[in-house]
Amino acid sequence: MCGIVGYIGNSEKKSMLLNGLKELEYRGYDSAGISILSEGNLQTFKAVGKISNLERKCHNFTSEGFGLGIGHTRWATHGKPTEVNAHPHFGTFSNIVHNGIIENYQSLKESLQKEGKHFISQTDTEVIVHLFESYVEKSQNILEAFTKTIHNLKGAYAILLITQKSADTIYYAKNGSPLIIGKNNNEIFFASSDAPLIGLVTEVSYLQDGAIGAMNLQNFKNLENIQPLLQDKLTAQKDGFAFFMEKEIYEQHRVLLETMIGRVQEDCFILEELRAIDLQSISSITLCACGTSYHSALTGSYLLEKIAKIKTKVEIASEFRYKEPILNSGELFVVISQSGETADTLEALKLIKRQGFQTLSICNVDNSSIVRESHTTILTRAGIEKGVASTKAFSTQVMVLWILAGFLAQIKGILPKTEAQKIIQSMFKATHLTKVNIKMHEHIKRLTKRYLHGHGFFFIGRDIFYPLALEGALKLKEISYLHAEGYPSGEMKHGPIALADTRLFCVALMPQNLLYEKIKSNVEELSARDATICAVTSEYYEGSDDWIKTSQAQTYMEEFFEMMVALQLFALEVSLRLGNDVDMPRNLAKSVTVE
Ligand code: G6P
C-alpha cells in the first residue's frame, strides 16, 4: 500500500527514483510523484495514475551532480486520487512522502491553520510538513524540529522528508509501516520494501518502530541492525507472459515443489522452523489473516482438524483486533500473510504476543515486519508475487498448512507412516495438477464470453471447497469488478436461492472425492430454478450449462488444487475480456499497511 523511495548521491536522481517507484507500483497506483533537491533547488513533479504518466511529465528534467530525492506511489486513504493529493507534499522549503495514516491530523491541521499555515490538499500527510516547518521557524535546529514533529503524530507512518535548510540530508521516521535504508560506496537508498534496492546495495538496515533520524553519506554506519540484502530479482520478471498474474498462475507447480523441499520426505514431514515452539503444549490453534490469506487460513482449518485432530479457529485480523479476543492456554497463534506487512495482521500478532502466547507466521517475505515480530516462521517459497490478485501465494500457503497438519499429526503420534505416505503422494499429485493444462486454459478462455453480464456470480462448494469457492469469488471480483460471492452450497437454500434465475451465474465446485452427491443435490436445486451452472468437476453432470473438466483424481486435495487453477484462470479471462488491468486492478493495493 503506497510505495516510498529516497536517494542521496551523484547519479541522475530522477531515474533512480522512477526506477525504484516502478518496483513498488503494484502496491498502489492512484498517483505518483517525486521531489529532487540539488544545488539548492527543490523540484517536484506529480501525476495522477501510473508511473508512466509521471515519467512523461518530467521527461525533459535531469539532475546531474550531488543531490537527493524522494518519491511516492499512492493508494489513496485521505482525499481523492488527484494531483494535488499526490505525494510529495510541500510547505515553503520542505517536501515529504508518507505511507500510513495520521490519525490525529484533523486537530493538528486546525491548530496549524490558526497559525496561518495554508493547506491545499485533503490528505493527512500535508500536516506533517507544515508542522515541521512551524517547528523549524521556532527553533532552527532541523533534527530537533523533525523529532518534535514526529512525536506529535498518532498513527502509522513511514516518512521521508527533505528540506532546503539541510540540503545533504534525508530525515526519516518509522512507526508501523516498513522502511529500509541501504548503502553502497557513496550512495544511500530508502525504500518501503527491498525490491527497489536489489542490485543497488548489498547492505540494508530494516528500521524498527520508533526510528527517527537524519541520514547523509557520513552516518549510515551508525544504524543498527545492518544486514546483507539477498540479490534475487529474477523471480519478479514476466518471463514472456503478458501479465504477472498469468505468469504467477503458471509457475505454481514449481513454487509448490520448492515449498515442499526439505519439509516433505517419503513418509514423514519435517518442519525445522517449529523447533522454537513447545509443540507438546499445543491443544488448539487460532489462524488469523486478511483477504486471500484468510481463505487459505479457512482451508487450513479443515486440514488441521481432519488430519491433526486439533481444534482450529479462524479469525479475520481486522475483526480480531478489537473483539477483546480470548485464547486458551496451550493455544498456538498463527498469522498468515503473503507480504508480511498487512497492518491488521501485524497488530493482531503483536496483541497476542504481548499476552504471552506462542506465535507462528506463515509468510512469503523474509525479513518482513510479521516475520520479525513472530516467534518463528514457515516461509512459503512463492517468490515475489506482483499480481495484486494473489495466486501462487495462496497455493503455497495452503501447501504449508497441509504440511503443518501432517507434521502435527505425526508429533501427536496419530499419523502412521502408511498414512503419511498417502498424504505425501497426494501432495505431489496435487502439485502436478497445478501445471496449467493448455487445453483447459483455452476452453476457459472460450467459455468466459458467456459470463460477462448477468446480475452476479455465486461460487459454491462444501467442506474444504467452501473456502476455495470464497477465493474463486474474490479473484473474480478483484479483477473483473463483477459482483461475486462464495457460499457453502448447502446454505444456498436458506436465502440466496431467491436470486436464482437465468441471469444468475453459478460456478459449482463438484469434487468426486468429497460429498459429491450432497453438492450435486444443491446444484440441482439451482439448476431447477434456471440459474446458469458452470460445473467444475471431472465427470459430466447433466444439470450443467458449462463444464470445466478436471482430471480424475484419487483424493479431494488433488481436486482442490486443480480447481483452484481453473478458478484463477476463469477470473483472469473474464477480466481480460472486459478490458481490465489484471495486474493492477482499480482501487486495490498489493500490501495494505493501513488498518
Ligand atoms: C490486500 C491484497 C490481497 C491480500 C490481502 C492480505 O488486500 O490485495 O490480495 O490477500 O491484502 O495480504 P497479505 O499480504 O497479508 O497476505
Side-chain angles (χ1 to χ4, degrees), residues 7-13 16 65-68 168 182-189 200-203 215-220:
Y7 174 76
I8 307 176
N10 285 303
S11 299
E12 209 286 302
K13 284 151 285 300
M16 287 314 234
F66 176 80
L68 33 95
D168 64 347
K183 183 182 188 303
N184 68 24
N185 292 340
N186 44 18
E187 293 173 301
I188 303 260
F189 297 83
L200 294 173
V201 297
T202 49
E203 284 188 324
M215 180 56 53
N216 55 39
L217 290 177
Q218 284 75 50
N219 58 2
F220 178 78

Side-chain angles (χ1 to χ4, degrees), residues 510-528:
M510 304 175 74
Q512 298 294 325
N513 291 289
L514 193 67
L515 303 170
Y516 180 76
E517 292 303 326
K518 302 276 176 209
I519 185 162
K520 197 167 144 210
S521 311
N522 302 145
V523 177
E524 260 152 25
E525 288 153 14
L526 285 157
S527 166

Side-chain angles (χ1 to χ4, degrees), residues 290-293 336-342 345 388-390 397 475 478 588-592:
C290 302
T292 288
S293 298
I336 306 176
S337 173
Q338 186 285 126
S339 62
E341 301 297 348
T342 303
T345 312
V388 165
S390 183
Q397 286 167 352
K475 281 300 81 97
E478 281 178 319
L588 301 182
K590 185 70 189 160
S591 153
V592 181

